[in-house]
Amino acid sequence: REDLWVREGKILNPEKLFFDEKGSADIQLDCKDSIIAPGFIDVQINGGFGVDFSLATDDFKSGIDLVSQKILSHGVTSFCPTLVTSPPSVYHQVLPQISIRNGGAHGAGILGAHLEGPFISKEKKGAHPEHCLRTFEEGAFQDLLATYGSLDCVRIVTLAPEMKRSSEVIRELTKRGICVSLGHSVANLSQAEEAVQHGATFITHLFNAMLPFHHRDPGIVGLLTSDKIPAGRRVFYGMISDGIHTNPAALRIAHRAHPKGLVLVTDAIAGMGLAPGRHTLGQQVVEIDGLNTYIAGTKTLSGSVATMDTCVRHFQEATGCSVETALEAASLHPAQLLGIEHKKGTLNYDSDADFLMLNDGLYVQATYIAGEEVWRQDALGM
C-alpha cells in the first residue's frame, strides 16, 4: 500500500525530494493493486525462442538480443547467458560476442556468461556431450584459460570439485571475482566442503546431475546443512522449479533446510517458447514433449522449457512459502550470489529501478528496467 519513487533509473528515497527540494512527482502511475517486486535474475539460461547460446553462429549477437527481449515478458530483467560443455572453438567464437550490458527497452541486462562445463564428471554429464569433457592437466588454470580463450565476460563457472587440481582453479577464479559453482559431479561431502573453503559459493541445479542424497555421505546436497562453511559465507544453490526436474517434496526439503540459499533458475534451452519437437542444446539434439525435454532418443533430461515466472509460481505453490519468499528466490538471492545486491534484487533506496508489476496469482503484468516500462501485458491479455 505504498508509493515507489523513481528518478534517473534508481529507486529514490522521497524524503530528500519532499523536504530538501520541496518537489513532487512529475508522473504518477496508478498500479491498480499490483504487487511490485524486484525484477527477476536468471543465472542459468542456455537459450530460448529458437536461439542456442552454445552454438557458434555469425549472428550470435542477434540471437542473444532476441532472447533478452523475449524474456522481459517473463519478468527477467537481467541474466547470465549459459554455455553448456562445448569444444574450445565454440568458446573462442562465442565468448567475445557476449558483452556485459545494462538492460532497457532493447531487452534484459547481461550480467556475464555462465560456463557450465567442460570440466565436469563423465558419470554425471547429463545432457553434456562426452567427447567434449575435459580434466585439469598440469597448470590447470592455464588449461582452463586456453579452453575458454578469455574470462573477460565470465561471471560463473560450473565445475566438478572432485577433479584433481580443482582447488587451485577455484582459488584463481574466485580471485578474479568469478563465482564458482559445483555441479555435474560425483563429489562426496568433504570434497564439496573443501571446494567451498577454497571459494566456491554456488551449486548448479541441486539434485540434478549429482550423487543422490545418502545419509552416510550426503554429497554436494549436504552443503545445505554443513557446519564446515567458513564463517560469514553463504552457499547458494540453483533449483529448476518446473515440476519436472525436482519432485515438489525435494524442493520442500531443500527450501526448509536452507531457505536463504535458494536461487530459482530456468536452465531454459532453445526450445523454450517454441512448439514441441526437435531443437538443439549445444552439440546435442533434444526433443521437447510437453514440459519434458530429453536428449533425442533417450530419457535423459536436458534443460527445461520453463519460464522464470512459471518457476516462481510453481515454487510458491509447492512449498507454500510466502509470496515475498518466492519472489526473493528469483531476485534477491541471485543478486546476493553475484554480489550485486546493493544494485539489483531489491526495492531498496538507491538500487536500480528494475521492477515488475504482478497480479495476485504472480503473473507478470508489466516489466520496468531503470524506471522505464519495457514490457506490458496489453489489454487483450496477449
Side-chain angles (χ1 to χ4, degrees):
R1 309 271 166 261
E2 293 178 44
D3 298 334
L4 183 76
W5 292 76
V6 175
R7 178 156 70 183
E8 285 166 5
K10 302 277 183 207
I11 294 175
L12 185 70
N13 178 348
E15 261 187 33
K16 186 173 171 295
L17 179 73
F18 294 156
F19 297 115
D20 303 354
E21 303 169 25
K22 308 274 188 284
S24 61
D26 300 325
I27 300 170
Q28 274 187 324
L29 193 63
D30 179 354
C31 303
K32 302 194 166 59
D33 279 344
S34 301
I35 295 168
I36 297 188
F40 298 150
I41 299 171
D42 194 351
V43 299
Q44 188 177 7
I45 169 171
N46 312 291
F49 316 101
V51 175
D52 183 344
F53 298 147
S54 306
L55 283 187
T57 55
D58 296 334
D59 62 346
F60 182 84
K61 278 199 164 67
S62 60
I64 209 163
D65 290 349
L66 176 79
V67 174
S68 60
Q69 176 71 55
K70 294 271 206 182
I71 55 182
L72 294 174
S73 66
H74 304 301
V76 178
T77 52
S78 21
F79 69 109
C80 294
T82 303
L83 276 75
V84 295
T85 296
S86 303
S89 59
V90 170
Y91 297 113
H92 294 196
Q93 203 179 334
V94 168
L95 289 179
Q97 299 189 67
I98 295 178
S99 45
I100 293 171
R101 65 173 187 213
N102 292 328
H106 58 272
I110 297 174
L111 300 168
H114 176 169
L115 305 182
E116 188 188 358
F119 302 99
I120 57 173
S121 147
K122 202 160 70 182
E123 291 81 15
K124 290 291 176 189
K125 64 181 188 295
H128 292 237
E130 190 166 327
H131 68 278
C132 297
L133 299 182
R134 300 174 72 103
T135 52
F136 293 121
E137 304 309 323
E138 289 299 327
F141 189 68
Q142 289 322 85
D143 197 33
L144 174 136
L145 278 178
T147 301
Y148 294 147
S150 152
L151 294 173
D152 290 348
C153 67
V154 176
R155 265 329 277 272
I156 304 176
V157 171
T158 293
L159 53 77
E162 69 275 15
M163 284 193 164
K164 278 195 185 67
R165 309 186 183 86
S166 66
S167 19
E168 58 177 282
V169 172
I170 294 172
R171 276 199 301 266
E172 286 297 326
L173 287 170
T174 307
K175 223 190 282 178
R176 287 166 171 74
I178 293 171
C179 158
V180 175
S181 188
L182 312 179
H184 287 277
S185 157
V186 291
N188 61 31
L189 179 56
S190 64
Q191 287 166 326
E193 287 169 335
E194 193 183 331
V196 170
Q197 283 149 11
H198 287 125
T201 51
F202 194 40
I203 303 170
T204 297
H205 45 53
L206 187 78
F207 295 126
N208 296 112
M210 60 188 59
L211 292 178
F213 176 85
H214 187 281
H215 56 285
R216 274 195 290 279
D217 193 333
I220 290 179
V221 178
L223 287 176
L224 270 59
T225 55
S226 164
D227 55 2
K228 304 252 179 351
I229 308 295
R233 186 97 71 64
R234 185 187 305 178
V235 172
F236 292 90
Y237 58 96
M239 289 204 87
I240 310 167
S241 154
D242 61 354
I244 307 273
H245 276 76
T246 327
N247 184 287
L251 195 55
R252 288 191 284 274
I253 286 174
H255 175 245
R256 288 179 195 172
H258 184 27
K260 294 267 182 263
L262 195 145
V263 172
L264 294 177
V265 297
T266 59
D267 197 18
I269 61 167
M272 173 179 72
L274 300 182
R278 291 196 158 207
H279 301 282
T280 64
L281 176 59
Q283 312 293 304
Q284 312 264 40
V285 176
V286 297
E287 247 170 303
I288 299 181
D289 172 14
L291 274 181
N292 290 296
T293 58
Y294 303 112
I295 294 182
T298 72
K299 286 294 176 204
T300 299
L301 285 177
S302 55
S304 87
V305 285
T307 56
M308 185 56 96
D309 53 326
T310 311
C311 292
V312 170
R313 291 190 294 270
H314 178 262
F315 170 60
Q316 207 253 330
E317 208 174 302
T319 59
C321 69
S322 68
V323 166
E324 293 84 348
T325 300
L327 295 170
E328 284 181 351
S331 55
L332 175 63
H333 297 172
Q336 290 170 327
L337 164 72
L338 297 174
I340 55 174
E341 69 274 24
H342 55 292
K343 288 196 304 211
K344 309 231 180 250
T346 72
L347 299 177
N348 294 345
Y349 299 149
D350 297 327
S351 55
D352 295 351
D354 298 354
F355 57 88
L356 313 174
M357 291 186 195
L358 304 151
N359 65 15
D360 289 346
L362 299 187
Y363 285 86
V364 182
Q365 308 295 296
T367 303
Y368 285 75
I369 291 182
E372 298 290 324
E373 183 186 295
V374 292
W375 181 82
R376 174 169 289 276
Q377 174 83 294
D378 67 23
L380 299 169
M382 291 298 282

